[in-house]
Amino acid sequence: MKCPICRHQSMVTVNLEDGPKAYHCGACEGDWIMANDYEYWLASREVAEESAHPLTQFEIQDSPVPKLCPTCRQILFKYRVRQDIQFHLDHCRGCGGVWFDKDEWKVLRSVNLHDEFYKIFTRAWQEKLKQLDQRDNFAKLYRDRFGEDDYAELRKIKAWVEAHPHQQLILGYLTSEDPYRP
Ligand SMILES: [Zn+2]
Ligand SMILES: [Zn+2]
C-alpha cells in the first residue's frame, strides 16, 4: 500500500501505541488506519482505567494537499477534531479508512479520543463544533461592545436574574419606562 502523501512510498504495518494495526509511512511518518482494523481493536482490547488527560500539543504538519485513499482511491475528506485541536483528520467515506499525519494519533491519545474518534466524522459532532464557534463569536462581539468589565458585570446580573424567584417581575421592572405606574 502506498502513502497518500508521499505517493511512491510503500507503507509497513505497525501497531500504534494503545491503538490498532496501522500502515505506517517511514518517510512522512503518517499512519493509515483501516476501518476493520480499528473495529477489531476496539472489540478486542482491554480497557484501561481512563483518567482525564491534558491536551498534548505537537507541532503538526497538517498536510494541505488533497489526498487519495490508499485503499480505494477515493478523495479523503477533511474533518475538524475539536476547537482546541488545530489539525484535521482525513477520512475516506468509501472504505472508512483514516489518515493520521505524524503525531496526530498521539494528540488524540492524549485526550482519550483515540478510542472514539469515529464520532468526529458524524454530522452531530461537526454541528456541535459549529455551535461552539458561534457561541465564541457572540462572546467576542459582546466583549468588544461592552468591554471586559461591563461584560463580566452583565453576565453576573443575568445569572442573578435567572436564578431569582421573581425573575419576571425583575425583567418587567428593568424594561418598563416607569415601573411605578399601573
Ligand atoms: Zn508518507
Ligand atoms: Zn477508501
Side-chain angles (χ1 to χ4, degrees):
M1 197 180 311
K2 307 282 182 205
C3 173
I5 311 280
C6 311
R7 303 282 161 81
H8 59 281
Q9 189 83 17
S10 278
M11 298 190 285
V12 295
T13 54
V14 294
N15 280 306
L16 291 177
E17 188 196 348
D18 194 14
K21 179 180 118 183
Y23 295 83
H24 181 77
C25 172
C28 69
E29 297 188 53
D31 292 294
W32 175 249
I33 298 178
M34 287 169 69
N36 51 356
D37 289 333
Y38 179 71
E39 275 159 28
Y40 175 78
W41 170 72
L42 271 191
S44 61
R45 80 201 184 106
E46 299 203 354
V47 182
E49 254 323 285
E50 288 187 344
S51 52
H53 293 270
L55 172 62
T56 310
Q57 299 281 15
F58 288 86
E59 282 289 321
I60 300 287
Q61 301 291 328
D62 199 7
S63 151
V65 294
K67 306 174 189 85
L68 289 181
C69 172
T71 308
C72 69
R73 313 304 298 164
Q74 295 196 37
I75 287 271
L76 299 182
F77 284 86
K78 290 191 170 299
Y79 290 82
R80 279 182 70 200
V81 181
R82 253 172 42 166
Q83 275 195 309
D84 56 352
I85 293 178
Q86 299 314 315
F87 60 80
H88 293 69
L89 283 184
D90 298 281
H91 171 64
C92 176
R93 293 179 187 169
C95 68
V98 185
W99 175 255
F100 289 82
D101 288 309
K102 181 176 188 281
D103 292 332
E104 289 179 349
W105 175 263
K106 287 186 192 159
V107 174
L108 261 63
R109 177 71 197 85
S110 81
V111 289
N112 277 335
L113 253 182
H114 66 303
D115 56 0
E116 53 177 14
F117 67 81
Y118 262 83
K119 288 182 185 166
I120 292 165
F121 312 126
T122 62
R123 188 185 295 261
W125 186 280
Q126 293 299 320
E127 282 300 317
K128 180 82 196 167
L129 266 180
K130 263 186 225 155
Q131 280 171 19
L132 290 171
D133 285 347
Q134 271 169 6
R135 295 187 70 85
D136 283 358
N137 288 341
F138 271 110
K140 185 182 177 318
L141 184 105
Y142 293 136
R143 221 170 248 125
D144 288 351
R145 291 280 167 85
F146 299 132
E148 197 64 60
D149 292 349
D150 281 357
Y151 179 47
E153 192 62 27
L154 193 61
R155 278 166 51 194
K156 223 157 69 186
I157 294 169
K158 182 168 165 55
W160 175 75
V161 171
E162 282 173 357
H164 203 285
H166 296 306
Q167 187 189 120
Q168 289 310 318
L169 201 56
I170 294 171
L171 288 176
Y173 184 90
L174 285 174
T175 51
S176 163
E177 238 170 75
D178 181 358
Y180 301 95
R181 253 182 13 199

